[in-house]
Amino acid sequence: MADMNDANSTVLTVKDLKVNFSTPDGEVQAVKGTSFSVKKGETLAIVGESGSGKSQTMMAIMGLLAANGKVSGSARYGNTEMIGADLGRLNAVRGSKITMIFQEPMTSLDPLYTIGKQIAEPLVHHRGMGKRQARARVLELLKLVGIPEPERRIDSYPHEMSGGQRQRVMIAMALANEPDLLIADEPTTALDVTIQAQILDLLADLQKRFGMAIVLITHDLGVVKHVADRVVVMRRGEIVEQGTRDAIFEHAQHDYTKMLLASEPSGSKAAPPANAPVILEGRNVTVDFEIGSGILFKTSRKFRAVDSVNVTLRQGQTIGIVGESGSGKSTLGRALLRLLESDGRYRFDTSDISLLDRKAMRPFRRQMQLVFQDPYGSLSPRQTVGEIITEGLYVHEPNLTKADRDKRAIEALKEVGLDPAARNRYPHEFSGGQRQRIAIARSMILKPKVVILDEPTSALDRSVQRQVIELLRDLQQKHDLSYVFISHDLSVIRAISDHVIVMKSGRIVEEGPTDDIFESPAQDYTKALIAAAFTH
Amino acid sequence: MARVERKCSARVYYLTMINFVLRRLASAVPTVFLVITISFFLMRFAPGGPFDLERPLPPETMANIMKTYQLDQPLWIQYIHYLGNAVRGDFGPSFIYKDNTVAQLIAQALPYSVQIGSTALLIALVGGVILGTTAALRQNGIIDIALMSVSTVGITVPTFVMGPVLTLIFALILGWLPAGGWGDGSFRQLALPITVLALPQIAIIARLTRGSMIEALHTDHIRTAKAYGLPSRVVVITHALRGAMLPVVSYLAPAAAALLTGSAVVESIFTIPGIGRFFVLGALNRDYPLVMATVVIVAVFVIVFNLLVDIAYGLLDPRVRHD
């Protein structure tokens, strides 16, 4: 590690950086005076949960704050003061000496230009390269970041590439001018676990070869443990603790750091008795989607999202369905609830529900509930929480009086650990975790037997995730519920389910009791998934 | 979902494009046919006829006229006749301008309308995009608010008010510009009608551009462009404006069709011999062939411009080239 006292070994020095946003509700202090430095060739991880100010700190340094943001303090790169620098001076550093990659590989590239042209732009503007020279360099870079067939892919548009490839393209762009510092803002959060591991390995490898410093902004302590030299822990705009990785992970001083470290999902679920009755069953579940029909061609192709899958859910059981994006896990969940057209036989309790139409399904609907991933999009912003959670009662128990419904709402909110007064407020007044509790209350009020949970904790910070998982466990025990828990997150699946189904490309790769799957996976794909999720 | 890798090479793209254009033109035929059919019958079911004067003609004269123009035949026979002639490019004689066929009338008048219409469109496009972009870059600033207030005026004040007011100021009071007529067809001569035609379009295009530009400036890839130190000119023009032009381009199809086929109001205020007045005169006088021909012209313009817009879309946005 670099010498702490050598000023030449420091790439970036941040002192007393403050960021304020003026909002209709007044000034919001997003960053409240942070100081840290980044040394040559090291990886500094800035860790924190959402709202900790970790991204805004780096955005402010790069001059990328939203129009309502104000920054004060100092951030020096060499002799350049970045805070308050004019655009010319800022642009001499951005994209040349300090570069950035972002969380959203899908939208961070301009959809209207080829990746070759976009990677070349910093070369052309900072180094004055000609077209041909820049293209040669871009090809080199694409090879470097492991894009297959670079000669062909250089003329591809972003939409022709996968998320992982786009993130590689961003990395190529970041490396183009051999920067001294690369800022990676949640670079792997939007990617599947196996891809995440590849991208992190690539970054580590490139750092070794080129010796640039990396600032890694992340909420994921697993990633931090894997790649960081030093760690800065942020909460609510302040640095609560900083130190070497080992110091932070082994001797965390601050309670918040300890809490973060302890918030990895833990625990396990015991399987229900072997003779527990089957509550929901899907046989040969197959779902086809029509794709195609753009402007130029009118074609219709079929895409098989779920291919002959069997699922048997017993009373009190939690089946975890894991898979990467596009594996068909969410589609399977919806098919099991008969929310989309599919082939297959379905049984709920003792009734065959394969052929029931909408109306005939209705009595079963209340017993089979669905909770979505996005606690922001799935609650109507124009209804009070009370209206949202009692809506199902109008359909399934139309004879209830207003007072009865209110009583049920209070019960449901108490059950999920919210203040019953919440029912007179609107969803935007609640945090992500609280909203997910509201969504769970909306299901629980109907007293269901089966709940399908589609990535219910994926949009939440780890510490909140843990609370939601505990809540789900409590509810399951109390009401003898059966869950199908869909997630890409293996640590969550491991903590909550007693039976795991691993899906890939619409098929089941492997299934079995949770412990067996995690301790002795039989299939290579499962092994790769587990390795990617737990080694860093 | 499986990612289908299909690289559109330039050659394949152009072949697909030609195929696309041909198919679109083929599909335009039934559209024009429907337009003709519907307007033919609507027109005939409207009360009144081309030769109903205040003082009725003697019955024999009337019968003669009806016979000359084949108006005495059953409606469906007239319809078949009309279709047959129209296919051959014969839109019949005008009932009102008796010395001319409709085709001649339109051939004479259309170039005037197209000339002032296309100039107005060009000015509106360039002016609207520049003003809209300027406003977007200074969102909620004084310039933005001023531009948007003025553009509201531009949209709401009707041309029959704007025309006379501008004439009063620039022709009568200041005496800078001629008040009307085609004259030598110079830009100075036509400045007033072109301005009156262009003003509301500038305002609409400026608003559209502003809206989509503001959205474009907040996208992630603009943040990327800034983070890579690209000059503002590149960030704004290369990366933001191209994407922001998509809604403007969609708007251009109906706007161009409307502008190029002449505005009855503007053409009468400034005594321009374009085809705009034929809509009004033809409809008022029940000059069936004239109305039919103008309807067909508008339909064809709309179809052609929609096609051009779709092609432009494909050139602007690689994502629509696929599938």
Side-chain angles (χ1 to χ4, degrees):
Chain A
M1 195 170 277
D3 181 0
M4 304 276 275
N5 299 320
D6 184 2
N8 290 330
S9 71
T10 303
V11 188
L12 184 74
T13 312
V14 181
K15 277 203 184 106
D16 198 26
L17 188 87
K18 292 185 178 121
V19 178
N20 286 343
F21 288 99
S22 49
T23 68
D25 302 332
E27 288 275 300
V28 175
Q29 285 188 298
V31 181
K32 301 169 184 166
T34 55
S35 303
F36 59 90
S37 61
V38 187
K39 293 178 188 63
K40 255 184 196 163
E42 76 166 345
T43 299
L44 175 75
I46 304 184
V47 191
E49 299 191 286
S50 49
S52 62
K54 58 190 191 300
S55 285
Q56 295 308 335
T57 302
M58 297 320 285
M59 288 292 176
I61 294 168
M62 291 293 274
L64 295 173
L65 284 182
N68 62 342
K70 269 195 308 242
V71 55
S72 66
S74 159
R76 294 188 77 83
Y77 164 79
N79 292 322
T80 310
E81 172 59 57
M82 301 283 285
I83 305 303
D86 59 41
L87 197 59
R89 203 182 282 193
L90 211 51
N91 278 350
V93 176
R94 302 197 289 195
S96 166
K97 303 297 180 194
I98 305 181
T99 58
M100 256 185 124
I101 60 176
F102 301 96
Q103 178 174 354
E104 310 82 2
M106 303 319 249
T107 52
S108 294
L109 293 164
D110 191 331
L112 306 183
Y113 295 94
T114 61
I115 56 147
K117 187 166 187 302
Q118 294 186 62
I119 301 172
E121 273 185 320
L123 292 168
V124 173
H125 290 289
H126 291 291
R127 293 210 182 163
M129 277 194 191
K131 257 191 183 173
R132 192 173 298 174
Q133 201 186 354
R135 192 175 166 92
R137 171 82 176 131
V138 171
L139 277 176
E140 229 173 77
L141 288 162
L142 288 177
K143 266 178 221 149
L144 194 67
V145 298
I147 298 274
E149 299 183 77
E151 287 83 3
R152 201 170 67 84
R153 299 315 302 243
I154 191 171
D155 295 317
S156 296
Y157 289 94
H159 72 272
E160 296 169 311
M161 310 187 100
S162 66
Q165 283 177 324
R166 288 187 219 191
Q167 202 57 297
R168 283 173 194 268
V169 168
M170 281 302 300
I171 293 172
M173 199 161 149
L175 290 176
N177 288 321
E178 293 175 0
D180 294 330
L181 173 62
L182 183 131
I183 301 166
D185 188 355
E186 303 268 9
T188 57
T189 308
L191 303 173
D192 283 326
V193 273
T194 49
I195 312 290
Q196 273 182 19
Q198 290 169 15
I199 295 288
L200 289 171
D201 290 345
L202 174 68
L203 277 175
D205 176 51
L206 293 169
Q207 183 180 31
K208 227 177 269 164
R209 288 164 69 175
F210 297 102
M212 77 249 177
I214 293 180
V215 170
L216 180 74
I217 302 166
T218 184
H219 70 283
D220 189 338
L221 283 163
V223 172
V224 175
K225 194 171 186 179
H226 190 52
V227 301
D229 297 314
R230 286 194 309 129
V231 182
V232 169
V233 182
M234 283 187 77
R235 181 178 64 161
R236 293 189 206 129
E238 284 167 317
I239 294 179
V240 297
E241 188 164 2
Q242 56 177 312
T244 63
R245 173 188 55 185
D246 295 344
I248 294 286
F249 277 86
E250 279 152 38
H251 317 286
Q253 299 297 310
H254 198 280
D255 287 345
Y256 180 70
T257 314
K258 288 180 194 160
M259 194 277 286
L260 272 187
L261 289 170
S263 61
E264 288 289 315
S266 58
S268 61
K269 174 164 182 319
N275 61 352
V278 172
I279 186 86
L280 181 67
E281 187 176 30
R283 291 253 148 263
N284 289 317
V285 177
T286 299
V287 183
D288 288 322
F289 288 123
E290 298 255 329
I291 52 171
S293 77
I295 285 194
L296 290 186
F297 294 104
K298 291 265 185 282
T299 50
S300 165
R301 293 187 303 274
K302 275 194 176 163
F303 172 73
R304 184 150 287 188
V306 178
D307 193 357
S308 325
V309 167
N310 295 322
V311 179
T312 309
L313 180 68
R314 292 178 183 279
Q315 181 136 19
Q317 191 176 33
T318 300
I319 295 184
I321 303 183
V322 269
E324 301 191 289
S325 48
S327 60
K329 56 190 192 302
S330 290
T331 310
L332 174 62
R334 281 167 175 67
L336 286 173
L337 289 184
R338 297 215 51 237
L339 285 172
L340 43 78
E341 247 181 73
S342 60
D343 290 330
R345 304 297 293 178
Y346 301 92
R347 193 158 66 91
F348 179 79
D349 213 347
T350 51
S351 320
D352 186 334
I353 56 168
S354 313
L355 301 167
L356 300 186
D357 62 13
R358 264 176 84 114
K359 213 175 144 201
M361 268 307 287
R362 193 168 289 161
F364 295 100
R365 286 269 172 246
R366 65 171 303 179
Q367 306 181 58
M368 306 158 65
Q369 288 295 308
L370 178 63
V371 174
F372 300 97
Q373 169 175 7
D374 178 8
Y376 293 86
S378 56
L379 303 178
S380 165
R382 288 184 186 78
Q383 288 183 305
T384 63
V385 168
E387 286 165 350
I388 290 171
I389 61 176
T390 54
E391 209 168 24
L393 292 176
Y394 285 90
V395 180
H396 296 293
E397 293 179 53
N399 300 325
L400 288 183
T401 63
K402 201 172 171 217
D404 285 339
R405 275 196 299 274
D406 203 44
K407 212 175 115 223
R408 292 280 288 274
I410 293 171
E411 277 169 25
L413 286 170
K414 276 188 185 156
E415 187 141 52
V416 299
L418 288 175
D419 180 357
R423 67 194 192 286
N424 299 319
R425 292 158 64 194
Y426 288 89
H428 71 264
E429 300 172 58
F430 296 90
S431 68
Q434 288 171 323
R435 284 177 205 226
Q436 205 55 290
R437 285 172 191 267
I438 294 168
I440 294 168
R442 170 168 63 180
S443 295
M444 290 304 156
I445 203 168
L446 296 171
K447 308 195 188 307
K449 290 188 173 158
V450 173
V451 183
I452 298 207
L453 300 136
D454 190 356
E455 303 265 13
T457 58
S458 302
L460 306 175
D461 282 326
R462 275 284 188 212
S463 57
V464 181
Q465 214 172 60
R466 189 183 149 112
Q467 296 162 8
V468 171
I469 289 171
E470 269 156 27
L471 168 68
L472 288 171
R473 277 193 193 131
D474 289 350
L475 290 171
Q476 180 168 43
Q477 282 198 335
K478 213 163 133 192
H479 300 291
D480 202 15
L481 292 170
S482 311
Y483 289 149
V484 174
F485 195 102
I486 299 164
S487 181
H488 68 283
D489 189 334
L490 281 92
S491 50
V492 173
I493 290 280
R494 185 180 199 170
I496 198 161
S497 45
D498 55 76
H499 185 93
V500 176
I501 292 178
V502 182
M503 282 190 76
K504 191 189 181 207
S505 314
R507 289 166 188 267
I508 293 181
V509 175
E510 185 168 3
E511 70 171 310
T514 305
D515 290 343
D516 295 0
I517 294 285
F518 281 94
E519 271 147 37
S520 49
Q523 298 296 321
D524 288 345
Y525 180 69
T526 316
K527 285 177 192 161
L529 268 186
I530 292 172
F534 292 107
T535 53
H536 62 255
Chain B
M1 196 170 291
R3 185 155 294 275
V4 188
E5 289 185 18
R6 261 169 307 144
K7 206 16 237 90
C8 245
S9 76
R11 202 180 123 76
V12 171
Y13 175 57
Y14 290 122
L15 284 177
T16 339
M17 189 57 102
I18 290 168
N19 177 18
F20 166 68
V21 170
L22 290 178
R23 278 194 300 118
R24 279 288 294 269
L25 287 177
S27 77
V29 174
T31 311
V32 174
F33 169 78
L34 265 179
V35 168
I36 290 180
T37 309
I38 292 169
S39 27
F40 183 90
F41 288 104
L42 270 183
M43 190 72 197
R44 297 308 172 98
F45 292 138
F51 307 105
D52 296 344
L53 304 178
E54 270 174 50
R55 201 160 52 88
L57 293 165
E60 313 84 77
T61 324
M62 192 63 173
N64 256 336
I65 292 177
M66 296 303 260
K67 198 166 175 168
T68 316
Y69 293 112
Q70 296 175 332
L71 291 173
D72 54 345
Q73 309 218 6
L75 200 52
W76 66 272
I77 293 196
Q78 292 184 39
Y79 170 67
I80 302 282
H81 270 288
Y82 185 81
L83 274 187
N85 291 336
V87 168
R88 278 175 268 132
D90 176 4
F91 291 92
S94 168
F95 295 166
I96 308 299
Y97 305 93
K98 296 218 172 62
D99 298 333
N100 293 297
T101 66
V102 166
Q104 282 169 337
L105 283 175
I106 287 184
Q108 278 165 22
L110 189 60
Y112 296 113
S113 295
V114 168
Q115 191 180 330
I116 61 166
S118 54
T119 318
L121 183 69
L122 191 68
I123 292 173
L125 181 59
V126 175
V129 168
I130 291 174
L131 292 179
T133 307
T134 314
L137 289 174
R138 290 164 179 74
Q139 190 189 351
N140 299 332
I142 293 168
I143 294 180
D144 179 27
I145 292 165
L147 281 174
M148 287 307 110
S149 320
V150 172
S151 79
T152 311
V153 176
I155 293 172
T156 47
V157 174
T159 46
F160 60 79
V161 174
M162 189 63 85
V165 168
L166 291 185
T167 312
L168 185 69
I169 297 172
F170 291 100
L172 300 181
I173 298 177
L174 296 172
W176 293 349
L177 296 166
W182 187 262
D184 54 359
S186 66
F187 185 75
R188 187 172 167 275
Q189 176 77 34
L190 302 176
L192 281 176
I194 288 172
T195 310
V196 173
L197 270 181
L199 277 178
Q201 302 300 333
I202 292 179
I204 294 170
I205 291 174
R207 284 181 159 264
L208 269 177
T209 307
R210 176 184 180 268
S212 57
M213 194 69 185
I214 285 172
E215 211 175 289
L217 287 169
H218 285 102
T219 53
D220 289 340
H221 67 261
I222 292 299
R223 181 186 62 190
T224 306
K226 287 182 184 166
Y228 279 80
L230 304 184
S232 305
R233 156 183 60 84
V234 176
V235 174
V236 172
I237 297 175
T238 316
H239 288 288
L241 189 57
R242 184 164 163 186
M245 284 313 289
L246 293 172
V248 177
V249 166
S250 319
Y251 169 73
L252 281 183
L259 280 176
L260 268 58
T261 49
S263 148
V265 176
V266 172
E267 289 182 1
S268 12
I269 293 174
F270 294 101
T271 53
I272 303 291
I275 67 166
R277 63 204 156 106
F278 292 153
F279 287 97
V280 183
L281 291 177
L284 288 178
N285 295 316
R286 301 288 183 275
D287 190 343
Y288 299 143
L290 187 56
V291 172
M292 291 301 298
T294 46
V295 167
V296 170
I297 294 261
V298 173
V300 169
F301 269 74
V302 168
I303 288 166
V304 169
F305 281 107
N306 273 322
L307 180 60
L308 289 177
V309 159
D310 283 346
I311 293 172
Y313 236 91
L315 294 175
L316 278 175
D317 189 346
R319 286 167 296 185
V320 305
R321 286 176 213 168
H322 285 257
D323 280 341

